[in-house]
Amino acid sequence: MKLTANISCSFKKVIFLLSLFSLTTFSNSDVFAQTLLAGTGKNNITAKVENVHDSLYVKVLVLKNGKTNLAIITLDVVAIGRIGNISDDYYGNIKSKLKNKFGIEHILVNASHNHWDGFLEGKNYVVKDVESRTIGAVKKALSNLEAVKVGAGSNSENRISMNRRVKLKDGTVYTIRHANPNMPDDEVVGIGKFDPEIGILRIDRLNGTSKAVVYNFACHAYAGTIDRGVTAEFPGFASSVIESVLGNKSMAFFLQGFAGDITEILYKNVDDARDCEPFGRMLGLSTLKGLRKIKTTPTSAISVISKTIELPLRTDIEKVFAILDKQEKELLASLRSSSLNMKSFIPLYVKYKLSPEYPSYYSYRYLQEKSIGINGLKKHDEENRRNMDKYLKNMRAMDKLAQIQENKRFLKRSENIVNATNGSTIKIEIEAIRIGDFVVATFPGEPFTQIALNIKKDSPFKNTFLAGYTNGHIRYIPTADAYKELGYEVMSTILAPEWQHIYEKEVSKILKQLK
């Protein structure tokens, strides 16, 4: 009797456990529909070349909530098509394959704008099968999907970047580039704004360990490493720092911001070998510092809005060519002959800077001449100064002429692209994505950082960030005010100044539509 009772009791427990298991199993899809799942994957995309300082990667973050599937893809390359080593059809092919093979309907593909993928040398240091390696990274991400918590926030890093458009007294600018000679200090009156904010999305597993970090920062990635080898540049070093500190197979994803007019500091340093690694470490540590302040909570919130908009192509190219031609003629007319050449100018210039009052000899000889009523050295100095002034003005004119030739070259390239469109507008795709409290809006090119500052200020969301170089590349995108200042970026844009108002208005609309 007692044995029967025990068997009956055990049987009831088994039935209860089986019922509980059945309930859990049948409701599993409902639970997943209410939970955000995240998976990560990456593949090396570095071609086999001799001088590789550190590898280039494609990284994939897949996010799913039962209704929306999103893949964030980052590549250590200069651009997604148009320039560099990623084909123009890469984005379209990846978008189609992810939808057809995996049901992923939304993607964000961002290039770090890394110039050391072979772009600077006109070579290809990226594997030819980058598309298949991207798909492989997606498969890896889908294979480790797990429930996560998310949080958003930001930090600041103001030590590694600056605005590269230097304002001159004549109302124009020159851009800090190796192709452009720096203008004399006495002609410089200021520089533009930059954005030191690091936007951060923290993604943790339910047990609190880190699954992934998405961080957004705006700065050209082109200083390189000491050995001038292939490198993922400062974003690669920043991601390595983040991943090393967090451990647990956490993956860091860098989203390049609106960096059209932002450069690494010391980009033109000639006194030491340029090295981006310290910048990457600083950015990584500053990201981690901001990460510690962010609390994560369970959420299923993903919202994605994609929109195709039309932007006007520029119509002022002939006018700009006329301005450059006028400047060129004026500079050529300013050139004057001088008895000096570089060999004689440099030692004279050094002497007259070292001792402006007594450059030709020691002071006692000047005093001796004065005591006997002659001023040979004084007259000699006056002649040398006249010749040096003429030679120096010639050199400054030649620097400006060289810059004009470079500007004309890029303006001609812009003209060719505009003419090839056979229209007055160009269609581009923009996105607004919300993941928890983290919001990012995109542009397929290189907008100036002021655009990002404007959109952040106008956004209804506290944690709003901007990703340029995303889902394509249509070159530099200056602010409307920058067109009258000229400079390299204005020569390299295909858009009319009215683009800014249209884009900011459209982004404002889709941000307000995010849920």
Side-chain angles (χ1 to χ4, degrees), residues 108-110 256-258 309 311 426 428-431 440-448 451 455 466-477 495 499-500 503-504 507:
L108 182 159
V109 185
N110 181 267
Q256 181 62 269
F258 281 16
I309 64 173
L311 298 177
I426 185 171
I428 67 163
E429 178 188 358
I430 62 173
E431 285 180 317
V440 60
T442 69
F443 192 95
E446 307 188 43
F448 280 14
I451 308 299
I455 292 171
L466 285 301
Y469 313 87
T470 300
N471 299 346
H473 189 273
I474 61 166
R475 312 180 81 216
Y476 284 100
I477 318 294
L495 297 185
W499 85 270
Q500 180 180 348
Y503 174 71
E504 289 183 357
V507 169

Side-chain angles (χ1 to χ4, degrees), residues 348-356 359 388:
L348 277 179
Y349 187 77
V350 171
K351 283 201 305 180
Y352 280 73
K353 285 294 181 181
L354 281 174
S355 180
M388 285 191 295

Side-chain angles (χ1 to χ4, degrees), residues 312-331:
L313 295 171
R314 68 190 302 181
T315 59
D316 65 337
I317 291 179
E318 287 188 11
K319 180 181 177 181
V320 176
F321 268 124
I323 293 172
L324 295 177
D325 286 340
K326 184 177 182 233
Q327 291 176 347
E328 186 177 50
K329 289 179 181 178
E330 290 173 350
L331 287 168

Side-chain angles (χ1 to χ4, degrees), residues 27-37 64-68 299-301:
S27 63
N28 194 46
S29 60
D30 295 330
V31 172
F32 272 24
Q34 299 300 317
T35 303
L36 184 62
L37 305 178
K64 305 181 71 172
N65 69 353
K67 295 181 180 179
T68 304
T299 183
S300 62

Side-chain angles (χ1 to χ4, degrees), residues 75-89:
L75 295 102
D76 297 322
V77 298
V78 72
I80 307 301
R82 182 74 71 170
I83 62 172
N85 300 311
I86 302 299
S87 66
D88 290 348
D89 57 2

Side-chain angles (χ1 to χ4, degrees), residues 38-41 59-63 70-73 141 201 203 212 214 253:
T40 59
K59 294 182 177 181
V60 176
L61 169 64
V62 172
L63 297 168
L70 168 67
I72 295 176
I73 302 170
L201 172 65
I203 303 175
V214 179
F253 296 82

Side-chain angles (χ1 to χ4, degrees), residues 224-389:
T225 56
I226 292 176
D227 60 7
R228 320 315 283 163
V230 179
T231 175
E233 245 281 338
F234 76 81
F237 294 115
S239 292
S240 294
V241 168
I242 295 167
E243 292 169 355
S244 296
V245 171
L246 295 178
N248 296 297
K249 297 182 179 180
S250 180
M251 199 171 293
F253 296 82
F254 174 79
L255 294 182
Q256 181 62 269
F258 281 16
D261 54 348
I262 306 301
T263 183
E264 292 166 297
I265 61 169
L266 302 178
Y267 172 60
K268 293 190 71 172
N269 182 24
V270 296
D271 296 316
D272 295 295
R274 292 182 296 278
D275 189 7
C276 65
E277 187 169 353
F279 296 156
R281 289 175 178 172
M282 284 190 280
L283 180 61
L285 291 173
S286 292
T287 302
L288 287 166
K289 186 176 180 180
L291 194 74
R292 295 188 188 101
K293 302 174 185 177
I294 299 172
K295 294 182 179 180
T296 56
T297 56
T299 183
S300 62
I302 308 178
S303 180
V304 182
I305 298 175
S306 298
K307 187 175 184 179
T308 298
I309 64 173
E310 289 191 45
L311 298 177
L313 295 171
R314 68 190 302 181
T315 59
D316 65 337
I317 291 179
E318 287 188 11
K319 180 181 177 181
V320 176
F321 268 124
I323 293 172
L324 295 177
D325 286 340
K326 184 177 182 233
Q327 291 176 347
E328 186 177 50
K329 289 179 181 178
E330 290 173 350
L331 287 168
L332 286 170
S334 73
L335 296 176
R336 292 292 180 271
S337 61
S338 170
S339 66
L340 304 179
N341 61 14
M342 187 67 72
K343 185 176 181 179
S344 56
F345 169 79
I346 290 177
L348 277 179
Y349 187 77
V350 171
K351 283 201 305 180
Y352 280 73
K353 285 294 181 181
L354 281 174
S355 180
E357 191 173 0
Y358 306 112
S360 294
Y361 205 78
Y362 293 103
S363 58
Y364 55 78
R365 186 174 175 194
Y366 282 84
L367 295 173
Q368 169 65 16
E369 283 198 350
K370 185 178 180 180
S371 71
I372 61 177
I374 63 173
N375 55 4
L377 288 178
K378 183 178 179 181
K379 292 293 183 181
H380 175 67
D381 290 341
E382 289 174 356
E383 183 180 7
N384 278 342
R385 287 191 176 99
R386 283 194 301 270
N387 286 327
M388 285 191 295
D389 285 344

